[in-house]
Amino acid sequence: MIDLLSATGTASSSAPSQSPYSKNSVDNTFHPTASDDVSSMLVNVSESGITDSRAVGTNYSDSWGKNNNQKVQGHYLFNSSSNDTDYDIEDEYYGKNTSDNVQKQIVNTDNINHRFNAKYEYNIGNKDYLMVRPSIIYQRKNEDLDLTAWTRDSTVQDLLLNQNSKTSQNVFSNSDEVMYLHRLSDKGHSVSFDGRFSYIKTTEDIDMVFENVQANQNAVQQTYSYNIQKTFTGMMSYIHPFGRYSGIKADAGWNVTYGVIKRKSEIMADEAEDFSVDSLLCGSTFSDFGGLLANLAYMFSKSGVNIVAGTEYQAYNFRTKNDITHSFHRYNSILPYFVMRCQFGGNQLHLQYRTLQKYPGLMQVQDAINNANATMAVRGNNRLESARHQNIMMRLVMPGIGSDGSVGVVFVNMEYADNFIASRRSLSAATFTGDGNKRNSEMYSYQNADGYFSTSGLVAYGFPANFIKSNINLSSMLQYAKTPGFWDEEKSFTRTQCWNNSATIASNISEAVDFILDFNCKYTQSRNLTYSDYDVSYWTVSYGGQINWQIIPAIKLLFECGRTSYSGSGTSQFNAVISNAAVAYKFAKERRAELRLSVNDIFNNDNNFVETTNEIYRRKVTSNVLKRYIMLTFTYNFNKTQSK
């Protein structure tokens, strides 16, 4: 799932599709998943706005050489998309001499994407193995943004600014990996080398026109930037067994990432005749982190029990340098981990503990201000340090709870972070909005903070109901996160929690008739612990059904209908009934060809919204979506071994 440039370039993610049968869908419109299946290139229309997508690709796989000791596979994919999205955004600020902010954004985005991946494997005799894996990606994105913002006090709404931006981005990415494995004379002993290199370069041109209505100011701005990042990794590994069931694995190597970003902005304001450089919007940033990497692990495997326990040592330097400021940090990190997988009585248990050192990205330490959105400028923090994350996970799968074929699943995950890279927000008139009295332009930055914690848990149970020839699946999931953030110097926490319960009845009546009944109830709450008056909380209840009917061997009918209703936080206007229908005709030899006519959202009711809270405001976003449409699909399967 490679997405180098955002498909829509907006500040808000979209809500899921209203259809209860799209819960596990993947947005393939712009960046298909890394699947070899042709379905990875098909259009999915659940994202915001109206998208026109085109894709073509080819895949190759073969065995070469004597005894087929060489394997090669690769694919090339081209796809492009055009997206038109209209956003309505409402921000309710938490006091501090502010008024609410209302925005209207019209975003038109065009993308093209070329992707090539390959893998070559060579078994050189009985002791040597070589693997080479190159990857090349090129992507281009053009975006046109029209933004209008208003300030709102009680019922009075005043026009604040108009902005038009035209953005052109190009990105080239190359990654290569070479791995060589040599088995030593002693059984089980081996030594290997793994080398990796990645390179990514992004260039961006932005032409912007501002009109600040309240301050009676106008400006034209031109911005150019480029971003280059290189990563080098070289690792040597040695495996030494102790008897039949255990051994050690030792790794040592070097890993380093270099990055540079340069940004230049020129602005021509009011009556000026020429462009002048704005020093706040310009600058160069250099960053690198990495160094010695070593790992020592103990491995055990016997009677369905597999254990890997060890520790990783990092002697890393982390440097950042802007035009004026610079920082240097040295880390000697010991990162223990433990992984256990075991099978007992047909059940599977997976336990895992890991610690990670996460370093700030280049954009997070850049000193130059990015004001591509005049209502939310972004500036990095050169004083950021790395964060240390600890994660514990447990998964238990019980496929044989009873003799009737029941299945149970229990999953628990927890994560805690020291020095978490948190968001820092403030309100300022320095980014071409506001009149000095009412500050409505947000400055977004980053700051280290302790106190991040998240956890999630899932319990699921599935069992057959023979009296209706169906399977019943029940699940309950709880998610909780406490995230630190800053409003100016004031630290606060945002707490989000979600409780999701679902029940599904899936039939297996016959080869000709199948149905699905689905019910889902979800509670969502997001609140700022300092300003509890701006909580976000609502219930989402969705239910519906689907039926598949094979009328005759050549003709199949499908119909599905679902209702989604919301309660709380002013969401009732988003209630909707979504119905889809399709008829498919199979023909040709062994019915390998299929012609399908489908109608999506028959009653034209689909909609899209999301509501969140952060350190300084509560935000509600609504956007347009593709509603009713008709699609004709032709599919042909060349698999000669396919059964009728």
Side-chain angles (χ1 to χ4, degrees), residues 540-554:
T540 306
V541 178
S542 61
Y543 49 90
Q546 180 188 80
I547 185 168
N548 292 272
W549 181 19
Q550 190 88 36
I551 301 176
I552 59 175

Side-chain angles (χ1 to χ4, degrees), residues 150-370:
W150 296 265
T151 59
R152 184 176 62 190
D153 293 298
S154 300
T155 59
V156 179
Q157 185 166 296
D158 296 320
L159 181 62
L160 174 63
L161 68 88
N162 294 303
Q163 174 190 346
N164 176 261
S165 303
K166 297 184 183 297
T167 304
S168 177
Q169 292 177 313
N170 290 271
V171 60
F172 173 80
S173 173
N174 168 240
S175 64
D176 303 289
E177 179 183 5
V178 177
M179 186 179 73
Y180 182 81
L181 171 67
H182 176 70
R183 298 177 179 88
L184 301 177
S185 299
D186 294 335
K187 185 177 180 181
H189 294 70
S190 67
V191 62
S192 63
F193 169 79
D194 187 85
R196 304 185 185 194
F197 168 74
S198 67
Y199 172 89
I200 181 169
K201 179 178 180 180
T202 304
T203 60
E204 182 180 62
D205 286 288
I206 308 177
D207 293 319
M208 293 184 286
V209 178
F210 303 98
E211 180 189 6
N212 190 327
V213 177
Q214 291 188 2
N216 194 26
Q217 295 176 343
N218 296 278
V220 178
Q221 180 179 313
Q222 296 177 347
T223 299
Y224 170 77
S225 67
Y226 73 85
N227 182 345
I228 298 176
Q229 184 166 296
K230 304 175 184 178
T231 299
F232 302 87
T233 302
M235 295 291 296
M236 290 284 294
S237 301
Y238 172 69
I239 296 178
H240 183 93
F242 294 104
R244 296 177 56 188
Y245 307 115
S246 63
I248 61 170
K249 183 174 184 287
D251 308 274
W254 191 264
N255 175 58
V256 64
T257 297
Y258 300 97
V260 57
I261 183 169
K262 293 188 176 182
R263 185 178 183 86
K264 180 180 179 181
S265 293
E266 297 179 319
I267 191 166
M268 182 170 59
D270 292 330
E271 303 300 328
E273 297 181 357
D274 297 314
F275 285 94
S276 59
V277 175
D278 190 327
S279 59
L280 291 175
L281 307 178
C282 301
S284 302
T285 300
F286 301 87
S287 171
D288 69 83
F289 66 88
L292 175 66
L293 178 65
N295 175 71
L296 182 64
Y298 171 78
M299 303 179 297
F300 175 83
S301 179
K302 182 182 179 181
S303 302
V305 178
N306 296 275
I307 297 175
V308 179
T311 185
E312 184 176 287
Y313 172 71
Q314 295 180 355
Y316 275 16
N317 294 327
F318 176 48
R319 303 180 182 90
T320 62
K321 181 180 179 182
N322 287 295
D323 293 330
I324 299 177
T325 61
H326 69 277
S327 66
F328 174 82
H329 302 281
R330 176 170 290 147
Y331 299 95
N332 290 284
S333 306
I334 297 177
L335 307 173
Y337 60 90
F338 174 84
V339 180
M340 182 180 74
R341 295 183 177 90
C342 60
Q343 297 186 6
F344 55 95
N347 302 319
Q348 301 174 10
L349 175 65
H350 181 192
L351 295 175
Q352 177 176 292
Y353 168 75
R354 288 191 178 275
T355 52
L356 297 172
Q357 200 81 8
K358 296 186 178 181
Y359 293 86
L362 190 60
M363 300 291 289
Q364 293 176 314
V365 297
Q366 185 192 21
D367 200 37
I369 296 175
N370 183 342

